[in-house]
């Protein structure tokens, strides 16, 4: 709390890196938030909880953009924004024409799975379990709020999956299923 100087929330992060023989890279992130001094309210916000910004080539718009978005639910490109899915993948060609992708997986044991996605055409790519009020038509603006009572915690689990090829070629659905088990 900036006013009192008290620590009100503890944020513990664990990262695990795994490189496959085919050159794909997986980075697992486990983030645990714990209220340490009274209640902590996390308010509904569209920006997200676990995010990256893609390279301009993977974006859908911009002078060099050649990318696409695909969700586990089959939604593509701009239709992915604000929707719930197990995973989302941005993919496209690099400067030499080789296709690669960046997927984020939301673990089934994570908070509010499957999460909402702030997947924007300009490369902002965020898993967001706190954005329901911003993403769902007719939802109350505070639908995504969550309060942690003193001593309570919640855990977010994500995998960043950097791969060669399209989502189909990289077998992203199978990679998600193997990780989710």
């Amino acid at each position: 709390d900036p006013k009192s100087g008290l620590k009100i929330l503890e944020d513990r992060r664990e990262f695990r890196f795994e490189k496959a023989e085919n050159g794909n890279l997986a980075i697992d992130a486990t983030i645990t938030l714990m209220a340490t001094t009274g209640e902590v309210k996390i308010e509904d916000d569209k920006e997200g909880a676990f995010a990256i910004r893609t390279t301009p080539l993977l974006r859908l718009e911009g002078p060099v953009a050649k990318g696409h978005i695909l969700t586990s639910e089959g939604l593509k490109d701009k239709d992915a924004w604000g929707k719930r899915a197990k995973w989302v993948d941005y993919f496209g060609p690099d400067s030499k024409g080789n296709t690669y992708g960046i997927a984020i997986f939301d673990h089934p044991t994570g908070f509010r799975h499957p999460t909402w996605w702030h997947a924007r055409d300009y490369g902002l790519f965020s898993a967001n379990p706190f954005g329901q009020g911003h993403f769902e038509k007719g939802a109350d603006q505070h639908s995504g709020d969550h309060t942690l009572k003193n001593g309570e915690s919640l855990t977010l689990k994500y995998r960043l999956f950097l791969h060669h090829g399209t989502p189909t070629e990289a077998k992203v659905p199978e990679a998600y299923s193997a990780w989710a088990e």
Side-chain angles (χ1 to χ4, degrees):
D1 179 13
K3 293 177 186 171
S4 68
L6 291 174
K7 178 174 90 171
I8 60 170
L9 185 73
E10 186 174 307
D11 176 339
R12 285 180 268 165
R13 296 173 188 232
E14 179 182 316
F15 294 93
R16 183 178 163 273
F17 297 79
E18 179 182 313
K19 187 172 181 182
E21 288 181 24
N22 62 8
N24 293 341
L25 176 66
I27 304 169
D28 293 338
T30 303
I31 303 162
T32 303
L33 304 174
M34 179 188 282
T36 56
T37 310
E39 287 189 351
V40 174
K41 182 179 180 183
I42 301 168
E43 293 184 351
D44 192 308
D45 187 276
K46 76 177 188 318
E47 299 306 328
F50 184 77
I52 62 168
R53 184 81 69 160
T54 69
T55 178
L57 287 167
L58 287 185
R59 297 175 186 170
L60 279 64
E61 293 189 359
V64 298
K66 295 181 181 182
H68 293 282
I69 301 171
L70 179 66
T71 76
S72 61
E73 310 310 301
L75 298 173
K76 295 178 181 174
D77 297 334
K78 291 184 179 185
D79 291 337
W81 185 83
K83 304 300 188 303
R84 294 182 93 169
K86 298 172 193 169
W87 55 263
V88 171
D89 195 347
Y90 278 73
F91 64 99
D94 64 14
S95 60
K96 296 177 184 174
N98 301 309
T99 300
Y100 69 102
I102 301 170
I104 299 178
F105 299 167
D106 178 37
H107 200 275
T109 63
F111 183 68
R112 291 185 178 155
H113 173 81
T115 197
W116 292 267
W117 294 90
H118 192 50
R120 300 304 299 239
D121 55 11
Y122 54 85
L124 177 58
F125 183 15
S126 177
N128 186 358
F130 306 107
Q132 182 179 4
H134 283 81
F135 297 135
E136 292 185 0
K137 275 190 175 183
D140 179 89
Q141 68 179 7
H142 296 288
S143 299
D145 290 0
H146 183 73
T147 300
L148 292 169
K149 292 185 171 63
N150 188 45
E152 284 185 344
S153 65
L154 69 87
T155 300
L156 309 171
K157 291 183 179 185
Y158 303 107
R159 171 171 272 195
L160 185 63
F161 183 60
L162 310 166
H163 63 82
H164 299 284
T166 66
T168 301
E169 293 166 342
K171 299 182 179 177
V172 171
E174 294 87 342
Y176 173 80
S177 293
W179 175 72
E181 291 175 7

